[in-house]
Amino acid sequence: MPVAGLPSPAIQANKDGSVTVNYVPTQNGVHELNLSYNETPVEGTAFRVTVDSSDGRFVSAYGPGLVQGICGERLHFFVAKGGPSQDLDITVDGPTKTEVVKKEEKPGLLTVEYVPLGAGEYKISIKAKGKHIQGSPFSAKISGEGRKKSQLTVSTPGEYVLGGQDVDLTGMVAWMKTPLSTIEQCLLKKMPNGKLAIAAFQPKKKGVYSVDVTQDGMKFPGTPFQIQVGDSELSSSAKVKATGALKEGTAGKWNDIIVDISGAGYGTLGISMEGSHRPDLTCKQADILTRKNEYLLQYRPPEPGIYLLNIQFANDHITGSPYMVNVGGKPSGNVRETVTQEIQAPKVVQPGQKCQLILRIPGATALDMEATLSSPSGVSDVCEIRDEPDNAYDIRFTPTEKGLNVVSVKQKGIHIAGSPLQYSVGATPAGGSHKVEFGGSGAERGAVGVKNEFNIYIREAGSGTLSVTIEGPSKADIQLTDTNTGFITVSYVVQRDGEYVIGVKFNDQHVPKSPCKVQVDPECEEAKKVSIHGLRDRGLDVEKPATFTVNFNGVQGVLKGHVTTPSGSVDSLFIQEIDNELNSCRFLPKENGVYYVNLKFNDAHIPGSPFPMLIGKLGADPAHVAAKGPGLEAGQVGAPSRFLVTTMNAGAGTLGVIVEGPSKVAVACTEADEGYEFTYTPSAPGEYFVNVKYCNVGVAGSPFKVIVTGSGRGSDIRESSGLYVETVEKKPGGSKSRVFHGDASKVHVQGAGLKKGNLGRPGTFNIDLKEAGQGLLAVAMISPNGLPVKDLTYKKQKGTAYTVSYLGEEKGDHYLHIRWGINDVPGSPFIVTVQ
């Protein structure tokens, strides 16, 4: 590494928007070049360059082709030299013979290209006058063709708690000043205990980091937060240790790796694995009490072969990463079947024109179904629904306005998969694979020997090629039926039970939620005879047990079950035998929303499973939520992108915005008259997808594809940044609500009157709200008889200081309650003894 006292690089402007950086190394080794613009680090730096000398002239090598790549693709790296090219000998040795092409496009800079034809580890030798340069031979890990990639991010090690109580992220913005005096926006999150935290704190320099948090333009209590970063807090990927199945694994089984981040400081853990087949990945804390700094990483490749495993900490590869994993074991024997269909662009629909949608929903009845059409102005009309043969439903409506209309389809009051649906009127749909929706029972579960069906909504995607692939233990007989209304119905039949993977592509790109895994149950006639009784699908309350019974009706077997919560987690279902063939089932719901009760008999779903149950009141409807604005179409690196989510007439609920793309972004939200305005700032160019969800249901048109231009280097993995806020109900003609954000823990109360008082004489104490933010101050005092005291007043003295006086007219203990906002101040309720 360069040391203090060495000459700085020379920077020269080229008058074309670019700059030239010149640096003359004076010592061998790995050099790092850090670039910043207006005191802000340039994305993609630092550059790592290996430098060596030959006859007093330096030779350096750098570039992605020295580290990793994909077989069949052209890879490159660069060699900067001070001598003639004839003195350099460059070879690439690996599993296959590889030709090396050298080009000297600029004096002193050699571009080297090679194409590896097989997966494996390649040794790249760079010699100057017969001697290896520093770092040579380099090791490049090459993955197989047709790579399929899985990835996950563990954010827990990068979370830094700031404080607060039951915080609301609406209107909250945070800026961090680093030890280098650069200022950058922070991504905030609300912790499970209600406290405010930085979602991804990854300090790269020692010193003091100052975090300034504001909410609705006001200072957040406790700001600015000072974070002292020393050696133990500094993000250091070199201190992360990984042990276990890093070089060899077994197909079809979970392979374990322990990742120890002890002493590595703060940072998020990023993991990706790629190969000829998409592997399964999981990662969790090894033991939250005894091994809280260790994480258990598990991967399960479906087939043998060469896989590439990347482990990063704070966006840097740990020592040894990427790992070339040789996966052995027996082939799964899975069979893949693919069918394709050409899709024509839909005809433009004009206002007043009759329209229809036809889709299949097995197991539903016409009485279960309802559909509405919402116009761009917010007017809703009920659609006509006709019951057709083969579980088909014909939904008819007549739009009256141009623009993006929304069709919501519900079964038993719950949106079906993909609903609400975007429906363009008066213009050609924007198109793209991200506009394809698919879902249905056949995309969630299946059964052997019967037709399993799901629907694909393709209307808004434009023209192109639709392909459906199903891979699993047996060949799938797939049929696509075009209803010519915007829906494609998919039915498939398989002959063996097990896990199947369904992939849906449009123009050779996976659509949202693809690929998905489906568990196909074995054929079980006994399961069809089991019946369920007393299950209420609505009218149930949170924190009150939901119970029902299951009758075996004369068959023998084992009953198993679980519950999927509205937030997507899995809860236990308590099953107890109360008679020879009768079982009682019970679970305790802890949140509002739709629960799904999964019941299996001898490993096969009983008829109707999973059963939806609406817990509490679903006062919010995603069909009335819309997102619009330039930030959903295009953006610029380093510039804030904005868009508005309108929630008028949608009720109150949880609004979530998740931005996925080449870089992490800081998402911020402010309340507006119509809803909520969001901003995010990308730091690398490329394709971003903005997902907008209301009560865990995607709004119409989501995800939105955003093309970001500019310069910068993106992450090796697909980054995800999200923000969730609790909305308030919006009505036409209303204005945004005034929300106060205070911290009761920062309220100071003192004075003799807090402990004791004298009968018939006023007692006093003081309250100071200097650091407590904004809120409503409430003071109440209860006498021993259970009634409020007769005389209780408080007056503002100066600034944020108040004096409270009370008159006790009864001997005994009085209870004094002091609240700031909705929370008690420290020590409240106080016990005041009046004598």
Side-chain angles (χ1 to χ4, degrees):
M1 290 283 184
V3 296
L6 292 183
S8 300
I11 303 176
Q12 179 181 354
N14 297 326
K15 298 181 180 181
D16 60 355
S18 65
V19 296
T20 298
V21 180
N22 289 299
Y23 175 71
V24 180
T26 58
Q27 59 179 277
N28 298 345
V30 178
H31 289 239
E32 274 193 2
L33 178 63
N34 293 274
L35 299 178
S36 62
Y37 182 71
N38 287 339
E39 298 187 347
T40 301
V42 175
E43 186 74 21
T45 61
F47 296 110
R48 288 179 175 266
V49 183
T50 302
V51 176
D52 203 348
S53 60
S54 176
D55 291 339
R57 297 176 177 180
F58 281 92
V59 181
S60 60
Y62 61 95
L66 293 174
V67 182
Q68 66 184 85
I70 306 166
C71 70
E73 292 190 3
R74 188 174 298 278
L75 308 178
H76 68 276
F77 59 90
F78 304 96
V79 179
K81 56 186 176 52
S85 301
Q86 295 90 330
D87 294 342
L88 292 176
D89 181 24
I90 302 174
T91 60
V92 178
D93 296 318
T96 61
K97 184 178 180 180
T98 305
E99 182 181 355
V100 178
V101 178
K102 296 182 288 185
K103 303 176 183 177
E104 188 167 6
E105 298 176 347
K106 294 182 180 180
L109 183 64
L110 194 66
T111 300
V112 183
E113 294 182 345
Y114 69 100
V115 181
L117 300 178
E121 186 172 10
Y122 286 73
K123 297 293 184 181
I124 302 173
S125 297
I126 304 177
K127 294 181 180 180
K129 290 190 173 182
K131 178 186 175 183
H132 282 286
I133 71 168
Q134 187 85 17
S136 177
F138 299 88
S139 177
K141 277 71 171 217
I142 307 300
S143 62
E145 293 182 75
R147 62 171 184 169
K148 293 178 173 60
K149 187 175 184 178
S150 297
Q151 69 171 51
L152 55 85
T153 301
V154 182
S155 61
T156 307
E159 296 169 350
Y160 187 92
V161 178
L162 298 174
Q165 290 182 344
D166 194 26
V167 297
D168 179 6
L169 298 179
T170 306
M172 193 175 289
V173 180
W175 295 91
M176 177 188 292
K177 185 177 181 180
T178 71
L180 297 176
S181 296
T182 60
I183 297 177
E184 55 192 48
Q185 192 173 358
C186 300
L187 177 62
L188 299 174
K189 71 176 295 183
K190 181 178 180 181
M191 300 297 287
N193 61 3
K195 292 185 179 295
L196 179 68
I198 300 174
F201 183 51
Q202 302 181 143
K204 298 297 179 71
K205 296 288 183 181
K206 291 190 292 184
V208 177
Y209 290 74
S210 180
V211 182
D212 190 71
V213 183
T214 60
Q215 191 162 35
D216 296 329
M218 304 291 292
K219 293 285 187 181
F220 185 79
T223 194
F225 299 93
Q226 305 294 326
I227 306 174
Q228 181 67 49
V229 174
D231 289 329
S232 60
E233 294 85 16
L234 200 65
S235 299
S236 176
S237 60
K239 295 181 180 179
V240 178
K241 297 179 177 60
T243 57
L246 293 169
K247 295 184 178 180
E248 294 183 347
T250 304
K253 295 182 178 180
W254 288 106
N255 301 269
D256 296 350
I257 296 173
I258 295 294
V259 181
D260 187 354
I261 62 170
S262 301
Y266 288 95
T268 57
L269 193 61
I271 301 144
S272 67
M273 192 173 191
E274 59 190 69
S276 57
H277 290 74
R278 182 175 282 103
D280 296 326
L281 283 178
T282 67
C283 189
K284 61 183 179 180
Q285 233 167 343
D287 191 312
I288 196 169
L289 295 178
T290 62
R291 300 162 65 190
K292 63 180 182 180
N293 290 324
E294 293 184 2
Y295 288 83
L296 174 62
L297 166 63
Q298 295 180 304
Y299 65 90
R300 184 177 63 177
E303 303 289 347
I306 300 295
Y307 290 78
L308 199 63
L309 173 64
N310 294 275
I311 303 178
Q312 292 180 311
F313 184 77
N315 296 332
D316 292 326
H317 283 278
I318 71 171
T319 303
S321 176
Y323 299 95
M324 186 66 65
V325 184
N326 185 10
V327 175
K330 296 181 180 180
S332 66
N334 283 349
V335 182
R336 178 182 296 183
E337 185 71 10
T338 301
V339 294
T340 61
Q341 185 163 324
E342 294 299 319
I343 305 297
Q344 301 299 320
K347 295 181 180 179
V348 176
V349 172
Q350 299 297 337
Q353 186 175 338
K354 293 183 178 180
C355 306
Q356 67 177 150
L357 297 172
I358 299 177
L359 67 161
R360 291 182 184 173
I361 307 179
T365 66
L367 296 177
D368 296 336
M369 305 300 298
E370 60 179 288
T372 58
L373 172 70
S374 298
S375 66
S377 64
V379 179
S380 297
D381 289 322
V382 177
C383 303
E384 178 187 357
I385 301 181
R386 298 184 179 183
D387 193 354
E388 302 289 343
D390 297 328
N391 301 311
Y393 292 90
D394 185 353
I395 302 172
R396 303 193 176 194
F397 52 91
T398 304
T400 58
E401 297 180 26
K402 287 185 177 181
L404 297 180
N405 288 251
V406 177
V407 180
S408 59
V409 184
K410 297 180 180 180
Q411 181 183 3
K412 293 184 177 180
I414 301 169
H415 283 277
I416 67 168
S419 175
L421 303 167
Q422 182 175 311
Y423 199 94
S424 299
V425 176
T428 303
S433 60
H434 62 291
K435 293 299 181 183
V436 178
E437 298 273 2
F438 79 97
S441 59
E444 300 167 358
R445 62 192 180 280
V448 169
V450 299
K451 276 189 177 182
N452 303 285
E453 297 177 322
F454 62 91
N455 301 289
I456 302 177
Y457 184 60
I458 201 85
R459 183 183 187 274
E460 299 294 308
S463 60
T465 302
L466 175 70
S467 65
V468 177
T469 299
I470 300 179
E471 181 177 354
S474 67
K475 180 180 177 181
D477 181 10
I478 309 172
Q479 292 185 350
L480 304 184
T481 303
D482 192 348
T483 65
N484 296 314
T485 65
F487 270 104
I488 302 288
T489 298
V490 181
S491 66
Y492 65 92
V493 180
V494 294
Q495 303 303 325
R496 293 180 60 185
D497 63 296
E499 187 178 76
Y500 288 75
V501 178
I502 298 178
V504 179
K505 289 184 177 181
F506 188 72
N507 288 339
D508 207 31
Q509 290 186 337
H510 277 287
V511 308
K513 303 176 186 176
S514 172
C516 66
K517 292 186 177 182
V518 175
Q519 184 65 39
V520 174
D521 297 334
E523 188 174 6
C524 182
E525 290 297 325
E526 292 84 357
K528 298 177 183 179
K529 298 178 181 179
V530 176
S531 58
I532 188 169
H533 305 278
L535 187 145
R536 297 169 58 191
D537 57 14
R538 63 193 65 212
L540 300 169
D541 296 323
V542 175
E543 297 293 347
K544 291 186 178 180
T547 61
F548 55 91
T549 59
V550 178
N551 198 323
F552 287 1
N553 295 320
V555 295
Q556 299 294 320
V558 178
L559 180 67
K560 297 179 181 179
H562 67 269
V563 178
T564 305
T565 70
S567 58
S569 61
V570 177
D571 279 355
S572 299
L573 179 68
F574 182 70
I575 303 174
Q576 183 178 16
E577 185 177 0
I578 57 177
D579 200 356
N580 188 28
E581 295 182 355
L582 195 63
N583 287 262
S584 173
C585 301
R586 182 177 75 252
F587 71 95
L588 184 66
K590 296 183 178 180
E591 58 181 303
N592 285 311
V594 180
Y595 285 71
Y596 289 91
V597 179
N598 293 262
L599 284 171
K600 286 188 174 184
F601 187 81
N602 290 345
D603 294 328
H605 278 280
I606 70 173
S609 174
F611 302 92
M613 298 178 68
L614 178 59
I615 305 297
K617 293 182 179 180
L618 199 61
D621 190 351
H624 295 288
V625 179
K628 57 185 178 181
L632 297 177
E633 299 172 359
Q636 183 72 27
V637 170
S641 297
R642 291 180 169 84
F643 63 93
L644 177 68
V645 179
T646 60
T647 58
M648 200 70 70
N649 295 321
T654 302
L655 174 61
V657 169
I658 304 95
V659 182
E660 298 178 345
S663 70
K664 275 192 174 297
V665 299
V667 186
C669 170
T670 56
E671 188 179 356
D673 290 344
E674 297 178 74
Y676 296 83
E677 184 182 57
F678 289 86
T679 62
Y680 65 94
T681 305
S683 58
E687 290 184 351
Y688 289 75
F689 290 91
V690 179
N691 292 270
V692 181
K693 293 185 176 182
Y694 204 60
C695 297
N696 288 318
V697 177
V699 306
S702 178
F704 301 89
K705 183 178 179 180
V706 183
I707 303 298
V708 174
T709 57
S711 60
R713 180 184 174 186
S715 172
D716 292 336
I717 65 174
R718 190 171 185 80
E719 299 285 3
S720 178
S721 310
L723 181 68
Y724 292 85
V725 296
E726 296 297 328
T727 68
V728 296
E729 190 171 3
K730 299 281 185 177
K731 293 290 186 181
S735 59
K736 70 176 184 179
S737 60
R738 176 68 169 155
V739 181
F740 297 100
H741 307 281
D743 186 353
S745 67
K746 299 299 174 88
V747 176
H748 298 284
V749 185
Q750 59 184 1
L754 282 176
K755 295 182 179 180
K756 63 180 180 178
N758 296 314
L759 189 65
R761 296 175 59 184
T764 63
F765 60 89
N766 300 314
I767 300 177
D768 190 355
L769 308 172
K770 184 177 180 180
E771 299 177 349
Q774 301 172 316
L776 176 67
L777 178 63
V779 183
M781 194 174 210
I782 308 297
S783 61
N785 62 18
L787 299 175
V789 296
K790 185 177 180 180
D791 189 6
L792 176 67
T793 61
Y794 67 85
K795 294 182 180 180
K796 184 175 182 178
Q797 298 301 316
K798 60 179 181 178
T800 57
Y802 292 79
T803 296
V804 181
S805 64
Y806 62 88
L807 184 64
E809 297 182 324
E810 184 180 352
K811 288 185 179 181
D813 291 341
H814 292 58
Y815 286 85
L816 175 64
H817 295 262
I818 305 175
R819 286 190 172 185
W820 182 238
I822 61 173
N823 297 311
D824 284 302
V825 305
S828 177
F830 301 89
I831 299 178
V832 182
T833 303
V834 175
Q835 300 175 341

